[in-house]
Amino acid sequence: MARPQLLLTPGPTPVPPEVLQALGRPVLHHRSPDFAEVFAVAQERLREVFRTSNEVLVFTSSGTGAFESAIVNLLSPGDRVLAVSQGEFGERWQAMATALGCEVVPLTYSWGERPRPDDLAGALAESEAETVFLVHSETSTGVVCELEPLLAVCADTGALSIVDAVSSLGAVPLETDAWGADVVITGSQKALMTPPGLAFAAVSGRAWERTATARLPRFYWDWERQRRVQAKGSTPFTPATSLVVALVEALELVLADGLEAAFARHQALGRGTRAGIKAIGLELYSPDDDSAAVLTGALTPEGVDAVALRLALRDRHSITVAGGHGELVSRLFRIGHIGHIGIEDIARALTAIEEELRDAGVDVEVGRGAPAALEAFGSVPA
Ligand code: PLP
């Protein structure tokens, strides 16, 4: 019998059964008191997860849409943006802002590097940009940057920060208000354990002030209209009401043991995954430390095609892992450890990887990765 795919990808991620059940409830109308009630709870829980007292805007879109909403509500044609990039998604935001008519000043690092506060300070002084893009967790490489000092640099110069937290929010610590982030963007389909289709933007008071003078064209993404209608318990256009219902369930689970417990679990899952990968004898691509709590990137041995390995995992073991981007496509695979997964899922994947490598002629001993992962994971509650 075909098994459902185990999604060990950094999004979409598996969702808990309670969330799937919530999706099966009768559809709510978006202009009804029933929906307004659910939406209010979603708002309250989102604020807790973002660690903000500000409004969190809810869009029916993917994370990319919410990032576009930030650009068109905060910038005018020709405005200069300092766009920090250390991988695929930073490059996407540079391209997006250029396409929308902004002047992009890139601060580009090699993939896998971490942005440095002094570089940012220098680039800000030189460019005099008043807006900065930052990617918290660069999903293409597994690198989570140290966001707090980067945000402090933005605050020192008065630049408005827009943070891509699509794969980090709920997975690793992010203090929207305490760290002074102006706009934080995320999506439903990653650490928030909800299917794809919703995206969120937490917006500071300073960012709201900027919207008054920003002149890029906007309609679906108009934050002001969004805020007005959200105050009445709905959204300007038909939202994915069933996803909002599911989100409420998911956030209850995320918050049940406190966010710190979720962060500790993701760290331990990362620790376990790295130990397993090393026990198999594979080289890590993502950092070999606890910052790599979102996903683990590993390289196949020379001559073993990572695409073929991923397809074999999918088709023979019902396990989906993510691939690499660009020139690393034939060597890199990425194991996500966010969402509704446990260390036993990682152990299953490690054994499947060993079997496939063995069948591809690699000298590996099947059965080393799983115990190493379980031991390194330790006794953190699942
Ligand atoms: N930013 C990061 C860091 C991501 O990981 C992703 C998705 O993988 C995105 C942005 C884009 O999000 P979406 O696919 O929801 O538009």
Side-chain angles (χ1 to χ4, degrees):
M1 221 169 62
R3 281 195 284 183
Q5 289 284 323
L6 169 62
L7 299 185
L8 292 180
T9 61
T13 60
V15 307
E18 296 90 326
V19 176
L20 289 177
Q21 277 160 16
L23 284 169
R25 290 186 205 147
V27 173
L28 297 180
H29 195 278
H30 60 298
R31 309 277 182 239
S32 68
D34 289 346
F35 181 71
E37 204 175 297
V38 171
F39 198 57
V41 180
Q43 279 289 316
E44 197 182 295
R45 292 188 183 159
L46 282 168
R47 276 199 284 269
E48 267 187 71
V49 176
F50 276 86
R51 294 191 157 159
T52 183
S53 58
N54 291 319
E55 178 99 35
V56 178
L57 302 176
V58 178
F59 293 103
T60 296
S61 80
S62 80
T64 303
F67 205 94
E68 180 159 336
S69 84
I71 295 179
V72 298
N73 281 278
L74 297 171
L75 293 159
S76 299
D79 269 1
R80 197 172 289 167
V81 177
L82 182 61
V84 182
S85 161
Q86 66 270 22
E88 166 93 3
F89 292 101
E91 289 176 9
R92 178 179 297 183
W93 310 137
Q94 291 176 345
M96 183 186 264
T98 304
L100 291 168
C102 302
E103 185 196 332
V104 170
V105 179
L107 174 55
T108 303
Y109 292 89
S110 304
W111 284 35
E113 269 191 287
R114 277 197 181 88
R116 289 176 289 275
D118 48 349
D119 292 344
L120 178 59
L124 265 174
E126 200 175 312
S127 66
E128 297 181 347
E130 290 176 357
T131 309
V132 174
F133 294 170
L134 296 166
V135 178
H136 188 199
S137 162
E138 184 41 84
T139 320
S140 57
T141 64
V143 170
V144 177
C145 74
E146 283 191 46
L147 190 58
E148 190 178 4
L150 294 167
L151 289 169
V153 170
C154 296
D156 279 351
T157 58
L160 205 71
S161 53
I162 305 177
V163 178
D164 168 353
V166 175
S167 67
S168 62
L169 195 86
V172 296
L174 200 178
E175 302 281 341
T176 300
D177 287 0
W179 295 354
D182 288 300
V183 177
V184 177
I185 305 287
T186 199
S188 54
Q189 77 275 23
K190 300 190 186 247
L192 302 189
M193 303 198 300
T194 303
L198 294 177
F200 315 104
V203 182
S204 74
R206 253 163 45 87
W208 279 111
E209 279 168 31
R210 175 77 78 80
T211 61
T213 53
R215 285 180 290 102
L216 277 177
R218 49 202 187 247
F219 192 92
Y220 184 81
W221 301 122
D222 187 341
W223 282 0
E224 196 50 58
R225 173 162 35 186
Q226 184 82 18
R227 174 157 74 166
R228 238 183 6 254
V229 183
Q230 284 199 186
K232 293 189 257 171
S234 191
T235 61
F237 315 106
T238 315
T241 52
S242 296
L243 286 178
V244 175
V245 171
L247 176 75
V248 163
E249 291 301 324
L251 296 187
E252 180 171 341
L253 297 170
V254 167
L255 294 165
D257 299 320
L259 279 177
E260 302 304 329
F263 303 150
R265 194 179 73 251
H266 292 121
Q267 269 198 0
L269 286 168
R271 220 174 287 144
T273 310
R274 291 193 300 280
I277 287 291
K278 288 192 279 188
I280 298 175
L282 296 179
E283 190 185 333
L284 284 171
Y285 174 72
S286 50
D288 190 5
D289 61 60
D290 275 349
S291 71
V294 175
L295 67 105
T296 297
L299 299 174
T300 53
E302 202 86 50
V304 177
D305 182 21
V307 177
L309 172 65
R310 286 197 292 114
L311 293 181
L313 291 172
R314 187 192 68 190
D315 297 340
R316 289 212 275 265
H317 303 268
S318 304
I319 297 170
T320 302
V321 300
H325 298 87
E327 60 203 36
L328 279 173
V329 72
S330 62
R331 291 289 305 284
L332 174 63
F333 64 97
R334 294 171 300 138
I335 300 175
H337 25 78
I338 51 177
H340 185 61
I341 65 142
I343 193 65
E344 66 288 351
D345 298 313
I346 298 289
R348 182 180 140 201
L350 291 166
T351 305
I353 290 166
E354 288 171 328
E355 286 174 6
E356 289 306 323
L357 291 175
R358 177 201 57 198
D359 292 355
V362 180
D363 182 19
V364 292
E365 200 180 313
V366 175
R368 300 189 81 124
L374 291 168
E375 191 184 334
F377 180 80
S379 59
V380 174

